[in-house]
Amino acid sequence: MNREMLVLVDALAREKSVPKEIVFQALENALAQATKRQHADKIEARVAINRETGEYDAFRRWEVVTDDDFVAPDNQMMLREAEEIKVGSALGDFIEEPMVAPEFGRIGAQAAKQAILQRIRDAEREQMLEEFLARNDTLVSGTVRRMDRGSVVVEAGRIEGLIPRDQMIPKENLRPGDRVRAYLSKVDRTARGPQLMLSRISPEFIKRLFELEVPEIEEGLIEMKAAARDPGVRAKVAVKSNDRRIDPQGTCIGMRGARVNAVTNELAGERVDVILYSDDPAQFVINALAPAQISRIMVDEEKHAMDVVVDDENLAIAIGRGGQNVRLASELTGWKLNLMSSDESEKKQQDEAQKVVQIFMDKLDVDEEVAQILIEEGFSTLEEIAYVPVAELQAIEGFDAETIEELRNRARNAVLTAEIAREESLDKVTDDLKTLEGVDAALLATLAGKGVLTRDDLADLATDELIEMTGLPEEKATALIMKAREHWFAAQSN
């Protein structure tokens, strides 16, 4: 019988093209399951097969646990008991004792066969997955095998992938037998079905398609810097040339649009704008908003936002249908973009200037005329008045040395008072907000200044409220609020 076992292992290993060790492990597991079924108690068992002779032994097992975790005496043992049997036992170890091994011929043959074949199938799947991943392919090509509750199962060689319904291009109609490409977004090794999680709406997908169509990208002559998509409708990609002799836009578009059209056809007609990347954020935004003509841009580094001024004729073009153009431009560049007409921009500047005037009047105890003079000379904060070189203030006509010194002292006192107030507000911030992932020191100070002192205070905010307080991009503001609310959901699930 032992020799028959070795012959069986050898035959299965050859037939399924898997290592013998995999078959031995599957057989050991089947024998262990058979051993457990011989006992009414819920014991744990292990079977060890000698790889040379085919002989096998069975062992009953107890897991070593703490007194508090001891709930199943049939397969658990407290640490102090384990120490009496085996000195040096530790939590998580197993105490074993030999037991009568089941006869190979008395095992439920069908159950054993199924267990072995399933283990071999799992090994085959893992082996095929490793071979696929070794190619480092993130662009998966395959054939639609079947539809599964709105999702698409794709056969890519000997392995399967799944395009979930929410990762398919809207209104796209894929059928069994169709050839399809998708981006490999995740590998799920625990899945019993398809293990490759695919996406056709990811911005990375369009990048990989351009790499396929434009050899210069693969060669490193052209770089695909960013991509933003409204799947199935419109997309923007930013490209940069690493060779001055190459026009990145023209190269990616191709002769008579051949290359960009090939990408569009793969994306169910999605219109693709090829944008020239720039290291200058303002110029990058201007390129991204094309074909709209931009009159002026004001950059707010602190809020990572830009006010983009366009004339009335270009405002609708810059916004795009349903806000699509400005939304894609914002995603592409990573900046929050506030589009406005010249009149709106002028009014906003006047409002902001009036706010600064009021701050100067209140904090420096000066009249409106002096405050206006300071603004006209380029001062916009109390810190600038307090700490800029004296020569800059001395250059202001009508300000004598005594006036300048008094203004600087008042500005410094105001800044110091504000700093003390900020420190006091930070002292009131709870630890759960201070340690929340995504909240840095600068953001914490801003939140504290607005009265947001606890994690629950942050969780109670709406996205637009947080954006108004901090100037965070919408996506980041939403993610931060959801992070703050996680403990609510955890409490509900318990």
Side-chain angles (χ1 to χ4, degrees), residues 222-234:
I222 292 177
E223 206 174 331
M224 189 72 62
K225 298 294 291 186
R229 298 180 60 192
D230 187 352
V233 183
R234 190 177 179 186

Side-chain angles (χ1 to χ4, degrees), residues 11-28:
L12 283 173
R14 290 175 181 273
E15 179 185 347
K16 300 298 182 180
S17 300
V18 296
K20 285 185 180 180
E21 182 60 26
I22 297 293
V23 184
F24 272 119
Q25 291 173 3
L27 189 54
E28 285 175 336

